[in-house]
Amino acid sequence: MLAVASVVVAVGTATGMLSALDDGRGADRAGSDVTASPSLERLPVVPSPSTSGTSAAPSPKKARPSASSAPRKTRKEPSVPVAEGLYRHPESQVLDWVRANPSDPRTPVIESRIADRPAAVWFTDYSPDTIPARVRAVTSGAAGQDRVPVLVSYAIPDRDCGGASQGGAPDLDAYDAWIDAFARGLGSAEVIVVLEPDSIAQADCLGAGQRADRFASLARAGRVLKAADPQARVYFDAGHSGWNPAGKQAELLRQAGAASAASSDGVFSNVSNFHTTSAEIAYDRQVLAALGGPASLGAVIDTSRNGNGAPNDGEWCDPAGRKIGRAPTLSTGEARIDAYLWVKLPGESDGCKGSPGTFSPSYAYDLASS
């Protein structure tokens, strides 16, 4: 996806997430193909299928222009213990690698610092017939462990504005039906849904009428998901602190229904990007203040690769010197910040260390040991 003045490296909106592609085998896996975000560039690239199932993650995109041209000092983020409440999906590219390489000297670090952490599960392909069962497999697995899964829906039409993560449903009517099917798999337990990374922050490529139609579908999606599972927590796309100004992003979010408790529990930011947690906290609070709506609205932040902040040169594709960020947790200790999540799975390439969305042990080791 393209974004002005920001970089997205993800998913999916994302990499470093769990993605679920249907290749006929029906296995959803953790991971993502997305690579660039607004400060660095665009958001996610569509996840690539893995050998033993389907894994959907955003693929790399061009780096988006940075909102600020002034160099910023790199700040290291303190680590936070993993919350007991988040669900770790048992299938992912990093887990496959760890299981297949027990004697590799990098394995202990990658296993303990990446593979053992809960990450998001991405659903990026348009497959309405199989999506209910695939979502249900994740949510029922999490419910059986009394954990909270993080799901990423990534099938909006004109996804990524024709960039590296292009794809999605053929039209909005088909997307609405896909969301209905997705919702049928949610169950009745608590679940976090990251709704369509880049779909709002990167809507400038659409005409006014197309944008209004997309936002109407997003508002509907939030209502459908929350009606299907009253414990579902649905978060809307706020881009990140290096992209749109908070006031502009809040206005777009309002048009997409993010200020309504019937559709939304708040916003998400920094998917597949590198901006520091402190910068995202400040930005998300500004967005929420400008957005209005119930005081209960909060924010979740992708901290998977932001331990050293965003590179000064704006590089978004597997940039050197980055580091995993705060561990996923539902207990942030910060007002209006509901969770730190790993939406993009560390070690899944943006497209420079390997094909978009594929796992690179050397990149994972660099992120986990730096």
Side-chain angles (χ1 to χ4, degrees):
M1 309 175 162
L2 294 174
V4 177
S6 71
V7 183
V8 178
V9 187
V11 117
T13 232
T15 31
M17 330 156 214
L18 293 170
S19 42
L21 288 176
D22 181 18
D23 62 356
R25 288 168 288 186
D28 290 326
R29 303 162 61 80
S32 66
D33 299 359
V34 184
T35 47
S37 83
S39 294
L40 302 173
E41 201 236 54
R42 310 184 175 202
L43 226 144
V45 165
V46 178
S48 56
S50 70
T51 55
S52 65
T54 57
S55 109
S59 51
K61 306 237 160 198
K62 301 176 182 178
R64 302 173 178 175
S66 175
S68 170
S69 57
R72 288 177 291 181
K73 292 184 178 179
T74 295
R75 174 186 299 182
K76 292 189 176 181
E77 297 286 342
S79 60
V80 173
V82 176
E84 288 298 317
L86 287 167
Y87 177 61
R88 189 197 72 164
H89 195 276
E91 295 296 331
S92 69
Q93 292 187 82
V94 63
L95 284 169
D96 285 348
W97 185 86
V98 165
R99 292 161 183 157
N101 296 275
S103 301
D104 191 296
R106 300 167 296 185
T107 296
V109 170
I110 293 174
E111 180 175 22
S112 63
R113 303 210 64 197
I114 296 178
D116 283 350
R117 305 284 172 97
V121 180
W122 288 66
F123 297 85
T124 67
D125 62 318
Y126 176 68
S127 53
D129 292 341
T130 61
I131 197 68
R134 291 162 50 215
V135 172
R136 190 176 303 113
V138 177
T139 57
S140 61
Q145 296 181 20
D146 198 22
R147 300 292 180 92
V148 180
V150 179
L151 311 180
V152 182
S153 66
Y154 193 54
I156 198 80
D158 299 313
R159 184 175 65 197
D160 197 26
C161 293
S165 297
Q166 62 183 292
D171 55 46
L172 287 174
D173 287 342
Y175 176 72
D176 291 348
W178 185 86
I179 282 290
D180 292 345
F182 185 103
R184 290 197 294 272
L186 291 179
S188 58
E190 187 175 2
V191 56
I192 292 173
V193 179
V194 174
L195 182 65
E196 303 298 332
D198 275 5
S199 60
I200 297 173
Q202 190 186 21
D204 289 347
C205 67
L206 302 175
Q210 292 175 305
R211 190 180 309 125
D213 290 344
R214 170 182 284 191
F215 289 172
S217 272
L218 289 171
R220 177 190 181 278
R223 293 193 301 270
V224 167
L225 295 169
K226 292 182 69 63
D229 179 2
Q231 292 203 69
R233 294 158 60 181
V234 181
Y235 294 89
F236 284 64
D237 169 36
H240 59 63
S241 59
W243 204 335
N244 291 326
K248 175 181 178 180
Q249 189 63 29
E251 176 55 32
L252 295 172
L253 283 158
R254 190 177 301 110
Q255 294 173 32
S260 169
S263 296
S264 167
D265 290 271
V267 303
F268 64 83
S269 71
N270 208 43
V271 168
S272 298
N273 217 309
F274 304 92
H275 296 280
T276 62
T277 303
S278 57
E280 294 305 299
I281 289 172
Y283 173 72
D284 288 343
R285 286 174 176 164
Q286 292 171 0
V287 169
L288 290 168
L291 178 62
S296 59
L297 297 183
V300 298
I301 299 169
D302 185 355
T303 60
S304 59
R305 305 188 300 180
N306 72 345
N308 280 339
N312 291 330
D313 62 3
E315 178 57 60
W316 61 267
C317 186
D318 302 331
R322 299 312 94 200
K323 179 182 179 181
I324 57 175
R326 299 187 184 211
T329 181
L330 295 172
S331 303
T332 70
E334 295 283 351
R336 304 202 80 174
I337 307 301
D338 296 344
Y340 301 138
L341 305 175
W342 280 13
V343 183
K344 166 129 179 127
L345 189 64
E348 290 194 354
S349 176
D350 297 324
C352 293
K353 299 286 187 181
S355 299
T358 58
F359 181 72
S360 167
S362 61
Y363 184 37
Y365 183 77
D366 287 346
L367 288 168
S369 60
S370 61

